[in-house]
Amino acid sequence: MKKKIHVFAVIMTVVSMVMVSCTDDLHQTAGEYTFKTSGSVTLTSGDKSETLLLNNEIGSLSIINKNDKDGGIILTINSSYGPVQIATGRIEGKILLIDAYTRSLVCTELKSQILQPDVVKMTFDDVDVTGIGERYDDTIIFTWTYEGVSTDGTVTLKGTNIKTIATRK
């Protein structure tokens, strides 16, 4: 009987330590940040493709504790242009695992290659975004992947190394 109690006590101690560690990481990460996002995407139409730089986005990012058992978080992203974005995810140590979400994006070509000569802007309403972040003290570096199809269905978009640098306010 003593051995069962001892094993139970050890298991409970380990579980408690893991829970405290997750809570500490969550509390150290939650808060208000400023951010800048940049990167490039490749547009493809038929057999033509072209890589474009994204317009840099700046704004504020809030990381909110969901107060669940899984280290759940909510990200609210308020950029200088475009609608507010909301994403969910969880924290595992210093890593932020962000659930897939959708956003809109407008791409502008400086020299039309894929888009029609009289059109240099293309709207993508449902761009699928996936990503991961890593916290370094008061800075989080996110790496995103964007994939989508233009609103008119003629052009596909893919970006695999889009970066956001978020710094605690």
Side-chain angles (χ1 to χ4, degrees), residues 11-153:
I11 290 172
M12 291 308 293
T13 301
V14 170
V15 168
S16 296
M17 288 171 51
V18 168
M19 294 296 284
V20 168
S21 174
C22 290
T23 302
D24 286 347
D25 289 327
L26 184 57
H27 288 296
Q28 289 176 9
T29 306
E32 300 296 318
Y33 295 80
T34 57
F35 77 88
K36 181 174 183 178
T37 300
S38 60
S40 63
V41 292
T42 300
L43 301 181
T44 304
S45 180
D47 61 352
K48 295 180 184 176
S49 72
E50 179 178 10
T51 299
L52 304 175
L53 291 176
L54 292 171
N55 293 325
N56 291 330
E57 290 183 86
I58 59 172
S60 62
L61 165 72
S62 295
I63 299 177
I64 303 162
N65 181 350
K66 283 177 71 177
N67 293 316
D68 62 10
K69 296 175 188 174
D70 300 326
I73 55 173
I74 299 171
L75 279 74
T76 61
I77 305 163
N78 187 12
S79 71
S80 57
Y81 89 96
V84 171
Q85 302 166 54
I86 299 172
T88 59
R90 68 185 184 287
I91 294 178
E92 292 184 3
K94 293 183 184 280
I95 303 298
L96 288 77
L97 303 169
I98 309 304
D99 299 329
Y101 70 98
T102 59
R103 65 162 294 173
S104 62
L105 193 63
V106 175
C107 290
T108 305
E109 287 186 295
L110 298 177
K111 184 175 175 185
S112 185
Q113 303 267 329
I114 290 178
L115 307 180
Q116 299 300 321
D118 60 336
V119 179
V120 292
K121 272 189 179 177
M122 178 69 51
T123 302
F124 296 83
D125 286 332
D126 295 316
V127 175
D128 294 321
V129 179
T130 56
I132 189 167
E134 188 165 0
R135 183 174 53 82
Y136 301 91
D137 295 324
D138 288 339
T139 301
I140 302 171
I141 300 173
F142 292 94
T143 302
W144 306 105
T145 298
Y146 290 3
E147 290 187 32
V149 177
S150 62
T151 305
D152 69 4

